Amino acid sequence: QVQLVESGGGLVQAGGSLTLSCAASGRTFGTHDMGWFRQAPGKEREFVAAITRNIITTYYADSVRGRFTISRDNAKNMVYLQMNSLKPEDTAVYYCAGAYSGVSRRRVRVDAYDYWGQGTQVTVSS
């Protein structure tokens, strides 16, 4: 069973940057696709970005493409989300998630992922 712990959230002004980190336990981390989701108050959890196990392919939601970058270091069991040009509408709890099998076309679906972290709050002030 892989466990995830997110960190790096906080309060930032619009236009600023944050880098979220997700630390994974377990020896099989490198064989899983990984993703980031977010959930704002009163809204459903939504897909932000995903990265394949071999680090070759990344995917992004249209709302963050060009501003956010997902990356991973399989040797360190870490996944990152670099967030630039932050906007107030980026305010949410951000979750790291992992999938035992490839997510591919299902990458935006919450149910495509098998395990989740507890989340880290990101607040962007205007």
Side-chain angles (χ1 to χ4, degrees):
Q1 181 73 21
V2 179
Q3 293 184 328
L4 302 174
V5 178
E6 302 97 334
S7 61
L11 174 64
V12 63
Q13 289 187 334
S17 299
L18 280 176
T19 299
L20 304 183
S21 298
C22 174
S25 64
R27 292 178 294 176
T28 61
F29 168 79
T31 66
H32 303 163
D33 286 359
M34 300 297 296
W36 285 96
F37 283 71
R38 66 187 182 186
Q39 188 167 17
K43 295 188 177 181
E44 294 187 350
R45 193 169 297 190
E46 65 173 3
F47 171 78
V48 174
I51 186 167
T52 55
R53 61 201 66 189
N54 55 16
I55 318 179
I56 291 178
T57 306
T58 56
Y59 306 95
Y60 296 94
D62 289 342
S63 59
V64 307
R65 186 175 290 111
R67 301 188 297 121
F68 291 11
T69 302
I70 188 172
S71 62
R72 67 190 293 171
D73 185 336
N74 287 343
K76 296 182 178 180
N77 277 17
M78 295 292 295
V79 182
Y80 305 98
L81 185 68
Q82 172 68 44
M83 304 185 295
N84 298 325
S85 301
L86 283 162
K87 305 175 181 179
E89 51 263 43
D90 294 319
T91 295
V93 177
Y94 283 70
Y95 296 91
C96 181
Y100 296 129
S101 58
V103 295
S104 188
R105 296 177 183 178
R106 299 180 304 121
R107 59 187 176 272
V108 303
R109 297 172 57 99
V110 170
D111 61 5
Y113 297 82
D114 301 294
Y115 54 93
W116 296 78
Q118 294 300 306
T120 186
Q121 176 71 46
V122 172
T123 303
V124 184
S125 63
S126 57

